[in-house]
Amino acid sequence: MSTSRTPRGRRSARTATLPALLMVLAMLTSWSIGRSPDVSAQTDDEPADATLPPVPVSAGGIQLRLIDQSFDVEPGDDIELTYLLTGDLDGAELTPPTEDAVEGPDVSGDDDTTPDGTSDGTGDEGVTTEDAEEEPVPPVPIEAAVTNFVPVERIDQIERAIGPDVRRAPLLPAIDGVLIDVRPLITVGEGPDAGTAVLELSVPTDVDPSEADRLEFEETGLHPIIVELRVGGEVVAAHGTIIDRRDDDLALPTVDLSVLTAIADPGPSGTLGQLRADIDALDRTADVALELEAPLTMSIPPNVARIATESSTRNVLPTAFADDELISTPATPFDISSAVAVDRIDAFANQLTFGEDQLRTAFPSTAVRRDAWLVTAPISAEATIELRDRAVRYMIFPADLYRRTISDELPDTDRFVAIDLGNGTSMPILVIDELGAAFTRRATREILESTNPTEWSIGTISRLRFEQYDAPPSARDAERSRILATPDLTEPDPRLLVELERIAEQTSAIRFSAASELTGVTSTQTASEELSFPATAGPDLSERLELIN
């Protein structure tokens, strides 16, 4: 679990542009904020009061949205936070007035001097031009008040702690606070970015005894952080987020995430419309693959792959899936449980090899592997034994299929559950995680109506981390992995995934991996009951075998 992987480099680690972020912000509504403790008057011996009474937002208000942050914090590390500011930036005077704009008194001498330049006695005698000039008015102070709180104790507190609406902040005791002059840290946009500004904030931390200008972090866990933007002492914006304060004595394993997508095989009797629909789905999957650096694990019908690559005018399909991986699939839809039932496993094996060859021909730069086997229909114990003998190392089950064929009680979806095969061996299973439901187009659209991709990603990573902290001591060090797929296994909307994988590159909390790699980085949980596969499964293959022959 300690190994790291090099990104594939399809895109840069930071491709989020300001215009793209503004598109997300355009969907956001106005909000109210609450005031955190007066950190300017706080001492290290007197923790800040956790009460957050509401305060009004100044007219025109400023919106503060998180666009980047560090998540892991070791003792003494700085917390890096980057915010996008929009709204009444002129009213907040984010840029100090220029020297030319400062008007002093009239010292030309036109009113109190004679034509020969001597004083007429009517002015203030002894006052020189230098004396009459006034110093420029100093710019209004702009400060960030940063407060940290004790670690969250319940997973529902995470959602309330992230975002600009700090009324949802968890009612937890505050630990410490610092006040930072941020005017030099704000970059105001120009040209097409006019009306926006970026604040890059670096907050130093330490442990007890804490220095006055550093946030004290003594306890391991997920700490809420609230940042208030103050202009001339008035709170004009606020934002909350989560950071993970690490401890070398409690080094939690990295959680591996694997993105899975599948296309249904229309079979030899499929209509032309079904084939075209599958090819369109393959094109959409290619578009997602080009967006993501993370490897995709795909189940693609070999015949669809062959026809699509032979007829495609885009010429991007083979390169789009470079460094991704394909799950081995028979050339023709062939239920292995039915093949075993009629003693025709040889026919299945031939179709499997033929299908693998077709996939390799269509996508020569993409690995075709048997490590993981996607199960979308009931499968028998004997069929599972045959797959195990043919190098299948574990199976991936949708949750509803697991409930229908294995057990009503779902196992934890972040570790294997071993199913007994009745011959002294077992087959590990991973159930598809419910997090994948967030990547449908509709779900992603709804999520982005109330938050942005960075805030959603930080919340998601925090929840995954909290489950590790919250686990019993005996399971806290367990290696965990999750299969992410939409409920119907179609291609995911990449907007949230792109940001989640970008944040993953900056933290050891999560990483993206191909499904074939999960066997070496995933623990096995203890089932609460005896589990087994059905004795029989699948349709009668008599007519299908005749058609294949």
Side-chain angles (χ1 to χ4, degrees), residues 94 96 141-143 180-188 198-200:
L94 296 186
I142 301 179
E143 299 165 310
I180 301 173
D181 177 15
V182 297
R183 183 181 287 280
L185 309 178
I186 296 176
T187 303
V188 178
V198 173
L199 166 62
E200 296 181 276

Side-chain angles (χ1 to χ4, degrees), residues 192-230:
D193 296 331
T196 66
V198 173
L199 166 62
E200 296 181 276
L201 186 62
S202 183
V203 185
T205 72
D206 62 4
V207 296
D208 186 43
S210 174
E211 298 180 10
D213 60 347
R214 291 175 174 268
L215 275 183
E216 178 183 336
F217 280 95
E218 192 71 30
E219 188 175 356
T220 301
L222 298 168
H223 291 260
I225 301 289
I226 291 180
V227 174
E228 287 182 345
L229 185 66
R230 298 180 178 181

Side-chain angles (χ1 to χ4, degrees), residues 225-422:
I225 301 289
I226 291 180
V227 174
E228 287 182 345
L229 185 66
R230 298 180 178 181
V231 178
E234 178 186 1
V235 177
V236 297
H239 194 284
T241 189
I242 295 282
I243 65 98
D244 184 12
R245 199 281 194 181
R246 300 296 181 83
D247 187 339
D248 291 338
D249 297 331
L250 184 60
L252 298 176
T254 300
V255 177
D256 283 79
L257 306 177
S258 183
V259 183
L260 171 71
T261 183
I263 296 174
D265 195 332
S269 60
T271 66
L272 182 59
Q274 289 175 317
L275 182 59
R276 286 176 175 170
D278 281 354
I279 292 175
D280 289 343
L282 185 58
D283 282 340
R284 293 193 301 270
T285 303
D287 292 337
V288 173
L290 290 170
E291 286 284 326
L292 297 176
E293 289 180 1
L296 286 180
T297 298
M298 303 170 292
S299 178
I300 299 175
N303 196 43
V304 171
R306 178 184 62 81
I307 296 175
T309 53
E310 290 176 354
S311 61
S312 175
T313 58
R314 299 177 62 197
N315 297 320
V316 299
L317 289 179
T319 56
F321 298 132
D323 300 325
D324 292 314
E325 71 175 15
L326 291 161
I327 293 176
S328 295
T329 307
T332 302
F334 206 134
D335 192 289
I336 185 173
S337 299
S338 300
V340 170
V342 296
D343 197 23
R344 290 302 306 273
I345 191 63
D346 57 332
F348 173 83
N350 291 336
Q351 287 294 307
L352 182 60
T353 300
F354 185 31
E356 290 172 336
D357 290 342
Q358 286 184 303
L359 290 173
R360 292 189 181 99
T361 300
F363 305 115
S365 300
T366 307
V368 181
R369 296 192 172 101
R370 296 184 183 181
D371 299 77
W373 188 268
L374 177 60
V375 181
T376 57
I379 188 169
S380 67
E382 287 191 17
T384 304
I385 292 173
E386 292 291 344
L387 289 175
R388 189 179 184 277
D389 291 343
R390 284 166 174 75
V392 173
R393 304 177 69 184
Y394 77 96
M395 291 180 167
I396 300 171
F397 265 67
D400 60 341
L401 181 62
Y402 184 93
R403 288 192 181 98
R404 285 191 288 115
T405 61
I406 305 297
S407 172
D408 292 336
E409 182 179 348
L410 278 181
D412 292 334
T413 56
D414 59 0
R415 281 160 291 159
F416 288 122
V417 57
I419 311 297
D420 181 49
L421 298 180

